Amino acid sequence: LCENRSIIHFESRGDHELELLAPLESFFSVNENLDFVRLSDWTAIAANTQSLLTAIVKRQSSLDTLCIERCTLRDEGLKEITLTLKSCPEACPKKLYLGGNSIGDGGCVSISDVRNNTKIDLKEIDLSRNSSIGLRGLQSISTALAMKGRPFEKLDLSFIPFGDAGFSELVEAFLDCPKATPKYLLLRYCRIYNSYWKISRLLQCPDCSLVRIDLRNNSRLQSDTAEKILDSLQNNSTLKEIYLPEIRSNNLWEKLVPLIFNTTSISATYASNHSLVYFGDGKSQPLLVVNKHPDKKVVAAFKVIDHYFAHNFNVRLFEKMGAPILAEMIAFVNQGFEIRDKDILGVCMNSSSGKGDSSSGSCGEHG
């Protein structure tokens, strides 16, 4: 029992697998209301999938996550799993992790059938380390995601060498239905070389729901492509993390600063990107720390103050006193006043902390 969740993990050591299958089925038939079931390295499962899965799914009415990894399911075993899930849609888990099972294109078709079933609310799919999945399998998965247009949380296709053709297929499908884009998209070690720029088209879509995309451990990124991705984030308030391979650029920092800290005017600062907390290979992290604050109005006001203090405004002071100080700053800026000197900021800080005499001066008077 872990945080009020019932979790069970069976890991095979390679001996007596067949003899243990019957007791394993009996265990799942007797024990109900498990939240998380994980079976790893059970090669014997592939030949006995349906009976075991029936015991798991039909008895676990609250099953949230089903993880079957490195069990050599192949397409045949996955087809048995999907048939079982479709026969009992009300008990289907929301998260299905199937990494390292030698699944190919046929297995992806089976997964698509589950996703197309409107009675099944599948939120997360992990097909990583199934290197036999090719373009046909990706087409099937991406089409199933895009056609339904239902919210989807996570898709992990890491360690599948589908290359630029597969990456383009995925992006094009999501462009057809941006609302179907997973919130978390993991594509590490996929042999992507020259098609990174297509992700910028997706990030420009107002309905794109991407919160995190991970493209690490693919081919190095050219500076012009990285700049295109940055430009696509100008009006994107959803994406928080974008992990990229090594970037061949010496001036990317100069491009990132106006995106996060546009100080040409107060309104431009407010229109800056306040959501992005990780970009590229991590070298820009210090610049993005301020965006981690959950209240984006506070983030915007802090950036205004920081600029007028010539970047000498203490971040620790911001963390301790940010709310009372910035509340008045936000109200002041929202009234349309321009900050013309640091004395006005001093009045704001004094009045917010209770040290100043509100009768002798206020933001409104200076405005």
Side-chain angles (χ1 to χ4, degrees):
L1 191 65
C2 179
E3 295 180 357
N4 298 322
R5 296 186 65 200
S6 299
I7 301 174
I8 194 73
H9 176 202
F10 288 103
E11 181 178 359
S12 172
R13 298 302 181 187
D15 298 328
H16 310 292
E17 280 192 0
L18 290 174
E19 291 88 340
L20 289 171
L21 279 175
L24 194 61
E25 289 182 22
S26 299
F27 172 86
F28 286 115
S29 298
V30 174
N31 292 275
E32 301 180 7
N33 300 321
L34 295 174
D35 294 327
F36 188 110
V37 174
R38 181 183 180 189
L39 301 169
S40 58
D41 298 291
W42 281 72
T43 56
I45 289 178
N48 301 270
T49 306
Q50 189 169 18
S51 60
L52 180 59
L53 262 293
T54 300
I56 295 174
V57 173
K58 291 193 174 181
R59 297 291 294 180
Q60 311 305 323
S61 58
S62 62
L63 186 62
D64 177 76
T65 304
L66 177 60
C67 176
I68 304 177
E69 57 184 12
R70 302 186 303 276
C71 292
T72 324
L73 288 174
R74 297 190 174 87
D75 290 348
E76 296 78 10
L78 183 53
K79 185 176 181 180
E80 295 291 340
I81 291 176
T82 55
L83 287 173
T84 304
L85 297 179
K86 288 165 67 177
S87 68
C88 195
E90 67 278 358
C92 183
K94 290 181 172 59
K95 303 171 185 177
L96 192 57
Y97 300 159
L98 301 167
N101 278 298
S102 302
I103 295 169
D105 292 341
C108 291
V109 174
S110 299
I111 288 289
S112 300
D113 290 341
V114 173
R115 174 65 181 170
N116 287 330
N117 190 323
T118 55
K119 296 181 179 179
I120 296 178
D121 189 22
L122 192 59
K123 294 289 189 181
E124 296 186 12
I125 299 176
D126 181 354
L127 291 171
S128 62
R129 300 179 188 274
N130 289 293
S131 57
S132 298
I133 294 177
L135 189 58
R136 187 170 70 90
L138 286 176
Q139 289 173 339
S140 179
I141 290 289
S142 57
T143 301
L145 292 177
M147 283 179 62
K148 303 311 296 182
R150 290 183 289 163
F152 196 67
E153 294 292 328
K154 180 180 176 182
L155 178 63
D156 190 349
L157 299 174
S158 299
F159 295 90
I160 302 176
F162 47 71
D164 288 325
F167 182 68
S168 299
E169 181 68 34
L170 280 173
V171 174
E172 291 297 331
F174 294 141
L175 283 170
D176 290 339
C177 187
K179 290 183 179 179
T181 309
K183 289 184 178 180
Y184 303 93
L185 183 60
L186 282 65
L187 303 173
R188 300 183 64 181
Y189 291 98
C190 293
R191 297 185 184 177
I192 302 169
Y193 293 96
N194 301 312
S195 55
Y196 294 111
W197 61 273
K198 291 193 174 183
I199 200 66
S200 62
R201 293 174 55 200
L202 183 59
L203 294 173
Q204 288 175 335
C205 295
D207 294 329
C208 178
S209 53
L210 267 175
V211 174
R212 175 183 178 183
I213 180 169
D214 194 341
L215 295 169
R216 287 175 292 181
N217 307 110
N218 290 290
S219 179
R220 286 194 292 179
L221 206 63
Q222 300 295 333
S223 60
D224 57 340
T225 305
E227 290 173 13
K228 284 183 179 179
I229 295 175
L230 276 178
D231 291 340
S232 69
L233 297 175
Q234 292 287 347
N235 299 310
N236 187 307
S237 59
T238 305
L239 188 73
K240 293 182 179 180
E241 303 171 52
I242 178 166
Y243 295 83
L244 298 170
E246 181 182 351
I247 302 172
R248 296 177 178 176
S249 176
N250 295 322
N251 64 341
L252 193 63
W253 180 273
E254 298 175 6
K255 299 287 184 179
L256 187 60
V257 169
L259 173 69
I260 307 300
F261 276 91
N262 189 338
T263 56
T264 56
S265 67
I266 290 178
S267 59
T269 305
Y270 265 77
S272 299
N273 186 300
H274 308 309
S275 302
L276 193 66
V277 298
Y278 193 100
F279 180 84
D281 51 10
K283 296 177 181 178
S284 57
Q285 280 307 92
L287 182 65
L288 299 171
V289 168
V290 66
N291 278 358
K292 292 185 177 182
H293 195 285
D295 190 335
K296 300 309 174 185
K297 288 185 177 179
V298 171
V299 170
F302 168 74
K303 290 178 180 179
V304 172
I305 294 175
D306 183 61
H307 172 65
Y308 281 93
F309 271 94
H311 307 295
N312 290 321
F313 191 72
N314 193 307
V315 175
R316 292 184 180 178
L317 178 66
F318 163 62
E319 293 173 349
K320 292 180 179 179
M321 304 175 62
I325 294 174
L326 297 179
E328 188 155 346
M329 277 299 304
I330 293 169
F332 179 59
V333 174
N334 284 341
Q335 291 174 23
F337 298 121
E338 288 289 332
I339 302 175
R340 301 195 181 278
D341 55 53
K342 296 178 183 178
D343 293 334
I344 297 177
L345 289 174
V347 172
C348 289
M349 293 177 67
N350 288 333
S351 61
S352 296
S353 60
K355 295 179 181 179
D357 184 357
S358 59
S359 63
S360 61
S362 66
C363 292
E365 288 185 10
H366 280 271

